Amino acid sequence: MKSDNLLLGIDRRTLVSSLALLPALSRTLLSTPAQSQATPDAPLASWNDGTARQVVVDFVRATTDRASPRFVPPEDRIATFDQDGTLWVEHPVYSQVVYCLDRVPAVVEKNPKLKNVEPFKTVLSGNREAIAKLPLHDLEKILVATLTGMPVEEFEAEAKKWLTTAKHPRWNRLRTDLIYQPMLEVLQYLRGNGFKTYIVTGGGQDFVRVYSQQVYGIPPEQVVGTAGGTKFGYHKDGKPFLTKEPKLLLNDNKAGKPEGIHLMIGRRPHAAFGNSDGDRQMLEYTGAGDGARLMMLVLHDDADREYAYGPAQGLPGSKVGTFTQALYDEARKKSWTVISMKTDWKRIFPFA
Amino acid sequence: MKSDNLLLGIDRRTLVSSLALLPALSRTLLSTPAQSQATPDAPLASWNDGTARQVVVDFVRATTDRASPRFVPPEDRIATFDQDGTLWVEHPVYSQVVYCLDRVPAVVEKNPKLKNVEPFKTVLSGNREAIAKLPLHDLEKILVATLTGMPVEEFEAEAKKWLTTAKHPRWNRLRTDLIYQPMLEVLQYLRGNGFKTYIVTGGGQDFVRVYSQQVYGIPPEQVVGTAGGTKFGYHKDGKPFLTKEPKLLLNDNKAGKPEGIHLMIGRRPHAAFGNSDGDRQMLEYTGAGDGARLMMLVLHDDADREYAYGPAQGLPGSKVGTFTQALYDEARKKSWTVISMKTDWKRIFPFA
């Protein structure tokens, strides 16, 4: 992948930290009832028989069996899931970045002075090649302009509208349709066994909270993400409101994931799921606890049905959702389970 | 109250913001089973009949009755409670400040150089008058030294030990015994009716999380408080851990309360309980939502059974838990309910 492609080539941590600076569906939400994708009688129905499926089943059985030495009391059953590349498609560009670019015309309409100012001018041109080449500090300006400066309710309404209309170029489907059916089943299976499921994402906390309940069955308060501050103030009529500020509180990626888990949850998960080097520390932190712990990584090795990228195991390299060989080796060494999309998943999407 | 008394005289916001920089039972926890203080048949048994009790009962009935125009869907039933002065005794000094002072000898033992350095020297002297006169920047040094710099598990273990031994000078009882029985009943009554109860405290989030489950029946992830950052790192053996850092992320007091609620919960509460000017913005934010909303303030007007302070309604002024006349007037104007400890509460403590 060429590194002069800005949107694909920038460092994920930096990008996501900027994303965080800013922040948040209905037809699509209603069309993907995460709660009813599997029946209790057939957990993990979209998984092929194999080690990955078995590891999940064994973990749930051991942690919920009072007679097991690996039993975990219900109040301690916390499971955390990365979102981009773990629960939904992250290629070729993170959905939230596309959201920010799509919001530029509205931002310029509100502030016409920006029309001839970079990077807004380039984004408005629609020239994809030029947009992809925008330097990082310009992309940050776009994130700040589209994710901060407005009341939280206004941001939520805008994100919701976008999520019900914007489609992924490859499938021509809403982004919230491009969620992984096998992972929905894991969420549901864990919840059905008393686990509290959390999203722990490098993406914007406010962005993901807009659709987490309807898409994943995860309420807003169980979404930990890159988060900016808000500022409390009053309208002229005395009514209070919160404005989204360009002040980064939590860069919820890499080391920021365990730090975010401590801040927002306050206890160590017993299970953690990711798909990239951004999730390494979360899995390490989860694995460092006593008793039963489940650590799993999704490997995108299915170019036909989704995408194939690593560079682990000789897959093509990628700046979005990088899964290095070093992470793969650490997983082997620590007995984390690598999920092969190609081999372990019977189907990828709910609509398939 | 003399303003040269440091511990009582410093501005609450400043103090609490410092408190947050750092972070924090067992016999007491076991002795105060918050979950079993009232029976479903007799909610609010420790409340006298009157407006305050009736307002709570009416709110719960309306929000849980599907036929009511004020019905609130179960997933939106969020209730937030201040802690100091709302759920437990805050006079004469916040418990967490006492914790920090009590920790000084251990800190000096670990770092003997501090023995002859202020403010540690004064605290070690045990001279209460001198300790009370320590300037604010010295108190901040104590907070940073006792609440940060250690792994999160070490802090939790230390706080737990203190909470099971340190006693309040007036009652000679553990701090966790000095919780308000009528408020435990409100917590339980709301939970019994599908509300998710949160603590939203100016105190340290990590400190309160140590005992919130056992004392109030509120799990750690439902405690929002003044919070510092942590830093992810590795022990020599490669095992990861989090260290408490002297970096303030959330000053969860006044305007910081609605800001903290947005950060940690992501939605507006339907009920909010407080007792001081530090809770004003939380109640305003709660009241600014549509539909059924319940806003209540505890007024400490019972010097015999607990304490009497305001300065609202001619009560003695206090720098700890200040309830101004302006707040009282705002409550009247906005139809918030002021709870009189003296009139509305049949008993104050579970042990009474």
Side-chain angles (χ1 to χ4, degrees):
Chain A
M1 205 151 282
K2 287 167 81 183
S3 70
D4 62 352
N5 182 321
L6 172 72
L7 294 182
L8 303 182
I10 59 174
D11 170 66
R12 182 178 176 165
R13 181 178 176 102
T14 315
L15 173 60
V16 173
S17 92
S18 307
L19 262 180
L21 290 178
L22 346 185
L25 322 188
S26 63
R27 188 161 54 83
T28 175
L29 306 180
L30 296 173
S31 75
T32 53
Q35 308 283 22
S36 56
Q37 297 289 333
T39 64
D41 297 333
L44 311 181
S46 301
W47 290 68
N48 288 314
D49 283 340
T51 305
R53 183 183 187 283
Q54 199 55 47
V55 160
V56 178
V57 171
D58 289 348
F59 172 80
V60 167
R61 283 188 185 153
T63 54
T64 57
D65 174 5
R66 290 193 177 269
S68 163
R70 300 171 70 218
F71 176 75
V72 173
E75 62 272 21
D76 289 334
R77 294 183 199 157
I78 304 275
T80 56
F81 293 78
D82 168 57
Q83 186 196 218
D84 293 308
T86 299
L87 295 178
W88 77 350
V89 171
E90 63 184 347
H91 266 223
V93 182
Y94 299 115
S95 290
Q96 198 180 345
V97 173
V98 180
Y99 168 76
C100 293
L101 293 172
D102 285 356
R103 283 292 306 161
V104 166
V107 166
V108 172
E109 193 177 2
K110 221 170 170 180
N111 186 359
K113 279 184 298 182
L114 296 176
K115 202 175 170 179
N116 294 307
V117 175
E118 289 297 356
F120 305 97
K121 193 177 165 184
T122 295
V123 176
L124 289 172
S125 75
N127 182 333
R128 285 175 176 231
E129 210 169 313
I131 294 169
K133 281 181 184 162
L134 285 172
L136 182 59
H137 66 266
D138 271 350
L139 188 63
E140 281 173 351
K141 280 182 197 162
I142 293 165
L143 300 182
V144 169
T146 54
L147 297 181
T148 72
M150 72 290 283
V152 297
E153 289 82 2
E154 189 180 315
F155 170 78
E156 285 165 18
E158 284 160 2
K160 203 171 276 192
K161 199 166 66 183
W162 182 83
L163 286 156
T164 55
T165 50
K167 298 195 172 171
H168 190 285
R170 174 165 165 186
W171 289 275
N172 195 33
R173 283 198 171 258
L174 298 177
R175 306 256 165 190
T176 50
D177 287 344
L178 299 173
I179 53 181
Y180 305 135
Q181 174 62 26
M183 294 305 288
L184 293 181
E185 292 168 5
V186 172
L187 287 169
Q188 201 176 0
Y189 182 46
L190 287 173
R191 286 197 293 262
N193 284 281
F195 282 84
K196 215 163 170 176
T197 55
Y198 280 81
I199 290 173
V200 177
T201 175
Q205 182 168 281
D206 282 353
F207 186 82
V208 179
R209 281 176 170 176
V210 168
Y211 56 89
S212 61
Q213 177 66 53
Q214 293 96 328
V215 173
Y216 303 119
I218 294 177
E221 62 269 25
Q222 286 165 225
V223 174
V224 180
T226 298
T230 57
K231 195 173 169 58
F232 181 86
Y234 300 93
H235 290 293
K236 277 180 187 164
D237 64 0
K239 196 174 168 177
F241 70 106
L242 294 170
T243 304
K244 289 177 70 61
E245 295 273 290
K247 180 191 165 195
L248 184 63
L249 291 184
L250 173 64
N251 178 6
D252 197 50
N253 197 29
K254 301 196 180 211
K257 289 208 173 190
E259 292 163 5
I261 288 169
H262 179 74
L263 176 67
M264 306 284 294
I265 309 177
R267 40 186 164 178
R268 195 190 302 265
H270 275 270
F273 299 76
N275 77 300
S276 79
D277 281 45
D279 303 310
R280 183 167 67 89
Q281 289 86 344
M282 174 168 76
L283 269 65
E284 288 173 344
Y285 180 67
T286 301
D290 296 332
R293 305 284 163 172
L294 175 65
M295 284 67 67
M296 302 189 86
L297 289 167
V298 176
L299 181 67
H300 293 256
D301 58 358
D302 193 336
D304 288 341
R305 295 190 299 173
E306 203 243 11
Y307 293 98
Y309 51 96
Q313 298 300 89
L315 293 164
S318 168
K319 292 289 174 86
V320 170
T322 309
F323 191 140
T324 61
Q325 188 61 39
L327 178 65
Y328 193 92
D329 293 342
E330 181 173 352
R332 289 272 164 220
K333 193 178 152 199
K334 295 185 172 167
S335 300
W336 301 349
T337 304
V338 174
I339 300 161
S340 160
M341 287 184 93
K342 194 170 182 173
T343 311
D344 289 316
W345 289 359
K346 214 175 278 181
R347 60 172 176 154
I348 308 282
F349 302 117
F351 60 80
Chain B
M1 205 152 284
K2 288 168 81 182
S3 68
D4 62 350
N5 182 320
L6 173 72
L7 293 182
L8 302 180
I10 59 174
D11 170 66
R12 182 178 177 166
R13 181 181 177 99
T14 315
L15 172 60
V16 174
S17 90
S18 307
L19 262 179
L21 290 179
L22 348 182
L25 312 190
S26 61
R27 186 163 54 82
T28 175
L29 305 180
L30 295 173
S31 74
T32 54
Q35 309 282 20
S36 57
Q37 297 290 334
T39 64
D41 297 334
L44 310 181
S46 300
W47 291 68
N48 287 314
D49 283 340
T51 306
R53 184 184 186 284
Q54 199 55 47
V55 160
V56 178
V57 171
D58 289 347
F59 172 79
V60 167
R61 283 187 185 155
T63 54
T64 56
D65 174 6
R66 291 195 175 268
S68 163
R70 298 171 71 219
F71 175 75
V72 173
E75 63 271 22
D76 289 334
R77 292 181 200 159
I78 305 274
T80 57
F81 293 79
D82 168 57
Q83 187 196 220
D84 292 308
T86 299
L87 295 179
W88 76 352
V89 171
E90 63 184 348
H91 266 222
V93 182
Y94 299 115
S95 290
Q96 198 180 344
V97 173
V98 180
Y99 169 76
C100 293
L101 293 172
D102 285 356
R103 283 292 305 161
V104 165
V107 166
V108 171
E109 194 177 0
K110 222 171 168 177
N111 186 0
K113 280 185 297 183
L114 295 176
K115 203 173 169 180
N116 293 307
V117 174
E118 290 297 356
F120 304 97
K121 192 177 166 185
T122 294
V123 176
L124 288 172
S125 76
N127 181 336
R128 284 174 178 233
E129 209 168 312
I131 294 169
K133 281 180 183 163
L134 285 172
L136 182 58
H137 66 268
D138 271 349
L139 188 63
E140 281 173 350
K141 279 182 199 163
I142 292 164
L143 301 182
V144 169
T146 53
L147 298 181
T148 71
M150 71 289 282
V152 297
E153 289 82 2
E154 189 180 314
F155 170 78
E156 285 166 19
E158 285 161 1
K160 204 172 277 193
K161 199 167 66 184
W162 182 83
L163 285 157
T164 56
T165 51
K167 297 194 173 174
H168 191 286
R170 174 164 166 187
W171 289 275
N172 195 32
R173 283 197 171 259
L174 297 177
R175 306 259 166 187
T176 50
D177 286 344
L178 299 173
I179 52 180
Y180 306 134
Q181 174 62 27
M183 294 306 288
L184 293 181
E185 293 168 5
V186 172
L187 286 169
Q188 200 176 2
Y189 182 47
L190 287 173
R191 285 196 293 262
N193 284 280
F195 281 83
K196 216 163 170 175
T197 55
Y198 281 81
I199 290 175
V200 177
T201 174
Q205 182 168 280
D206 282 353
F207 186 83
V208 179
R209 281 176 171 177
V210 168
Y211 56 89
S212 61
Q213 177 68 52
Q214 293 95 328
V215 173
Y216 304 119
I218 294 177
E221 62 269 25
Q222 284 164 226
V223 174
V224 180
T226 298
T230 56
K231 194 171 170 59
F232 180 86
Y234 300 92
H235 290 293
K236 277 180 188 165
D237 64 1
K239 196 174 170 178
F241 69 106
L242 294 169
T243 304
K244 291 178 67 63
E245 296 273 290
K247 179 191 166 195
L248 183 63
L249 291 184
L250 173 65
N251 178 5
D252 197 51
N253 197 29
K254 302 197 181 210
K257 290 210 173 190
E259 292 163 5
I261 288 169
H262 179 74
L263 176 68
M264 306 284 294
I265 309 176
R267 38 185 165 180
R268 196 190 300 265
H270 275 269
F273 297 78
N275 77 300
S276 80
D277 282 45
D279 304 310
R280 183 167 68 88
Q281 289 86 344
M282 174 167 75
L283 269 65
E284 289 173 343
Y285 180 66
T286 301
D290 297 332
R293 305 284 164 174
L294 175 65
M295 283 69 65
M296 303 190 85
L297 289 166
V298 176
L299 182 67
H300 293 257
D301 58 357
D302 194 336
D304 288 342
R305 296 189 299 171
E306 203 244 13
Y307 293 99
Y309 51 97
Q313 299 299 90
L315 293 164
S318 168
K319 291 288 172 88
V320 170
T322 310
F323 190 140
T324 61
Q325 188 60 40
L327 178 65
Y328 192 92
D329 293 342
E330 181 172 352
R332 289 272 164 219
K333 194 177 152 197
K334 296 185 171 166
S335 300
W336 301 348
T337 304
V338 174
I339 300 162
S340 160
M341 286 184 96
K342 193 169 185 173
T343 312
D344 289 317
W345 288 0
K346 214 174 277 181
R347 60 172 175 154
I348 308 281
F349 301 117
F351 59 80

